[in-house]
Amino acid sequence: LATGEAIGFQDGSVFAGASTVKTAIMLYAYVNLDRFTPAQEQALKKMIIKSDNLAANLLLAAGAGGQGTEYAFAGADEMSTMLQEQLGLRHTYLYVPYETTDYIRLYKPSFRCGPAGPVGDKPYTEMGACLRAEPASMARLYLLIDECARGEGLLLEEFEKLSADRCQEMLDRLETNDDDTRLAAGIPAGVRVEHKSGWIEDMNGDAGVVRSPGGDYIAAIYIYK
């Protein structure tokens, strides 16, 4: 972070976003809500610490101004537009809230997804079309939040509800993630890691900021099969 130097290996390949996109959901909530109710505060904790899916849906709905699954769909669409059009993140979105397969079958809501078939750079993964993440873009998401916490950058220019203190609060929340089996594995005790992990049957991913004694850095690591 001090030098701006970056290195990538196949970081333009697109993966299933899984729960790594929950950092973007947190940002969406902060962008749209001045303060959090006790229920929303609890949802933020459950989403970041335990990766709770229904808590993520609650925050999507709250960011869109309501409650329930219908509003969660609206929030997912708005958040995905924010990520791509305002923040310039490629192939990184969540158009369908978590655990809504039965809701879709029963109520047939209208929603969009990304382009069908492979997107991004080779090699391709099984990525679905509605929940995707590109490692390079996920790294940029953390860079934007870190810049905001330092009182600079695009987030402060775009969103009036954000401040350096609120962006630092987001990083503080990410530090509470209790998953120590991915990005945090092998990091020495006492080194702060601000991250959000995600996994499905054939993919493991984690992205975040490591506050290393040798210099702070961002890592976004996605592994397919």
Side-chain angles (χ1 to χ4, degrees), residues 5-19:
E5 182 182 6
I7 186 169
F9 176 72
Q10 298 178 345
D11 56 339
S13 288
V14 179
F15 293 77
S19 290

Side-chain angles (χ1 to χ4, degrees), residues 27 31 82-89 140 143-149 151-160 162 167:
L27 174 61
V31 161
M82 175 190 79
L83 295 177
Q84 296 172 95
E85 296 185 6
Q86 289 183 269
L87 303 185
L89 305 189
R140 174 168 167 75
L143 176 62
L144 291 172
I145 296 173
D146 185 77
E147 287 177 342
C148 175
E152 58 191 44
L154 181 63
L155 295 184
L156 292 177
E157 296 171 7
E158 288 287 326
F159 305 114
E160 61 181 18
L162 293 185
C167 286

Side-chain angles (χ1 to χ4, degrees), residues 19 22 42-56 99 173-174 176-179 195-199:
S19 290
K22 287 171 181 170
Q42 187 64 24
L44 280 163
K45 291 179 180 178
K46 291 173 68 176
M47 180 179 73
I48 297 301
I49 297 173
K50 297 297 184 183
S51 205
D52 187 276
N53 288 338
L54 297 183
E99 300 188 31
R173 291 186 189 278
L174 290 163
T176 67
N177 180 0
D178 69 0
D179 179 10
H195 67 118
K196 183 69 196 77
S197 46
W199 57 93

